[in-house]
Amino acid sequence: MSALFAPLALRSLEIPNRVWMSPMCMYSAAADGEDVGAPTDFHLAHLATRAVGGAGLVMVEATGVRADGRISPWDLGLWNDRQQQAFTRVTEAIRAHGSVPAIQLAHAGRKASVDKPWRGNQPLASADGGWQPVAPSAEPFAHHLVPHELTAEEIQQLVRDFAESARRALAAGFQVVELHGAHGYLIHSFLSPVSNKRTDAYGGSLENRLRFALEVVDAVRAVWPDELPVFFRTSATDWLTENPSDPREGWTGEDTVRLAKELQARGVDLLDVSSGGLVPDAEIKPAPGYQVPFAAQVRDGAGISTAAVGLILEPAQAEEIVSSGRADAVMLGRQLLREPYWAHRAAEELGEQPRWPDQYGYAVGRRKAG
């Protein structure tokens, strides 16, 4: 049997295969008004299509736990009843096609309040719908706005905000919640010494820089059912320390293993292992599977399940990643935008039965037979 199409049990949840859809921002929610942050018909079609396409788990894009946690004004959010109700359509559609609905909860931190990427991704002033970003320290990301340095009381409110959004996610029908601790957003910016210059209990030593992430996990795990899994997305490295020509000391793979052990002890079931995003000028050389070694490092070093990401393009490549034990699942992003039914193609190439819905499977099977 193909390893890629073997079910994966996490707690009491069985995910039907190891081909999962990565969270990808679509910048397509209402920016204001009563439907601000709520998923639209576009999101419903976009996400349900990947479930129809055979992905075992479909993860909703980074969803702000409060208004200032969005990357842009057009991001999804989950801080009110209207948003929660709108998400129920999405979870019902994903589950109707045999996939597991998951959501990534996030706060963009110092990278918040920017325009859509196809319009330049530039910082937005308040007059244009933007807002004051927040961060562990008043250290801006590149040419972005200087963020407000969070007080200890404001940090505790953010912990509560994550827990409240997780409670709403459960009520909306999600079976997996992922906490976004990667790509330079708020949790990651607490972890890395490049962006965290605090001298209180949330900065300085590695133990202190881990504190916010662990408090968020504890708060979310307290409201999330014991029988359902919690994921955590991490940037395994800032791509700084590994570069001999870069004098900056950033977050490293070894730090990620230490974090993974702490997360697992607090009830995190899987690390979604990405990299980078904290600084705009890190030297990164993307290539097929270039981030898979980080997933393997975490899996081996911490003994926790991992998902691998990063230019995973072909079924044989994905099969090797899982069958060799380098990761427990693969997260596909852009490739699923190009090819929504990638999982069905992969099943056929690997000798498995594609999980077509009846409405499609009859036609596909009839065409092959005739």
Side-chain angles (χ1 to χ4, degrees):
M1 180 180 183
S2 161
L4 193 62
F5 286 91
L8 178 64
L10 294 171
R11 297 193 181 238
S12 296
L13 180 67
E14 183 173 273
I15 304 171
N17 63 47
R18 317 298 182 94
V19 180
W20 300 350
M21 178 183 177
S22 254
M24 292 174 281
C25 290
M26 294 288 107
Y27 306 97
S28 297
D32 50 32
E34 62 181 6
D35 289 321
V36 63
T40 66
D41 287 347
F42 170 84
H43 296 96
L44 177 64
H46 165 64
L47 295 160
T49 296
R50 274 69 196 180
V52 171
L57 178 144
V58 174
M59 188 172 291
V60 174
E61 66 192 72
T63 300
V65 298
R66 64 189 204 188
D68 73 351
R70 296 169 296 164
I71 301 168
S72 81
W74 301 275
D75 283 13
L76 293 177
L78 188 48
W79 66 80
N80 66 35
D81 291 344
R82 197 172 185 91
Q83 295 159 347
Q84 177 182 316
Q85 183 60 37
F87 271 117
T88 61
R89 288 199 311 155
V90 173
T91 60
E92 288 168 359
I94 293 170
R95 294 180 74 165
H97 294 291
S99 299
V100 170
I103 188 169
Q104 184 185 74
L105 299 181
H107 191 295
R110 67 182 191 157
K111 296 177 78 173
S113 186
V114 297
D115 206 344
K116 296 178 181 182
W118 55 86
R119 298 200 307 215
N121 205 43
Q122 296 301 305
L124 290 174
S126 57
D128 299 317
W131 58 87
Q132 174 71 54
V134 301
S137 304
E139 297 281 333
F141 176 79
H143 59 286
H144 289 211
L145 301 172
V146 176
H148 162 70
E149 182 172 313
L150 292 160
T151 67
E153 292 76 16
E154 289 168 336
I155 291 170
Q156 287 305 301
Q157 181 57 54
L158 278 158
V159 172
R160 293 190 290 271
D161 292 335
F162 271 96
E164 175 62 13
S165 284
R167 186 190 65 77
R168 290 185 177 279
L170 180 66
F174 288 100
Q175 295 176 287
V176 173
V177 64
E178 176 172 278
L179 302 173
H180 198 344
H183 301 160
Y185 299 123
L186 186 64
I187 294 177
H188 184 189
S189 66
F190 270 89
L191 296 173
S192 177
V194 175
S195 49
N196 186 346
K197 305 298 184 183
R198 300 178 74 95
T199 58
D200 63 0
Y202 291 95
S205 68
L206 178 60
E207 179 182 8
N208 284 355
R209 287 184 279 114
L210 297 183
R211 192 178 308 278
F212 177 59
L214 300 182
E215 288 182 351
V216 169
V217 167
D218 287 343
V220 168
R221 192 76 256 187
V223 302
W224 196 252
D226 287 343
E227 64 269 20
L228 293 177
V230 172
F231 293 1
F232 189 98
R233 173 162 269 197
T234 180
S235 279
T237 175
D238 292 336
W239 293 99
L240 299 177
T241 305
E242 297 88 346
N243 182 0
S245 64
D246 197 316
R248 293 170 292 183
E249 291 294 324
W251 182 258
T252 69
E254 290 75 19
D255 294 332
T256 301
V257 171
R258 166 81 177 272
L259 171 64
K261 292 177 180 178
E262 296 285 349
L263 293 172
Q264 187 176 38
R266 286 166 168 79
V268 170
D269 302 282
L270 179 140
L271 254 67
D272 175 4
V273 186
S274 186
S275 68
L278 188 85
V279 296
D281 58 342
E283 184 179 347
I284 305 174
K285 298 178 179 178
Y290 73 107
Q291 298 182 108
V292 174
F294 299 122
Q297 180 184 19
V298 171
R299 192 174 189 269
D300 293 343
I304 191 172
S305 297
T306 63
V309 306
L311 291 179
I312 298 170
L313 306 175
E314 293 300 327
Q317 177 193 12
E319 174 73 13
E320 189 280 330
I321 291 167
V322 175
S323 64
S324 67
R326 293 197 286 164
D328 297 274
V330 293
M331 300 283 280
L332 273 64
R334 293 177 179 88
Q335 189 59 28
L336 283 187
L337 298 183
R338 302 182 188 101
E339 190 179 354
Y341 304 123
W342 187 95
H344 294 320
R345 176 168 72 87
E348 290 181 345
E349 290 187 14
L350 297 172
E352 298 291 336
Q353 186 66 35
R355 185 168 52 87
W356 291 105
D358 291 340
Q359 299 92 327
Y360 289 16
Y362 168 75
V364 170
R366 183 179 180 182
R367 181 177 179 181
K368 285 187 174 182

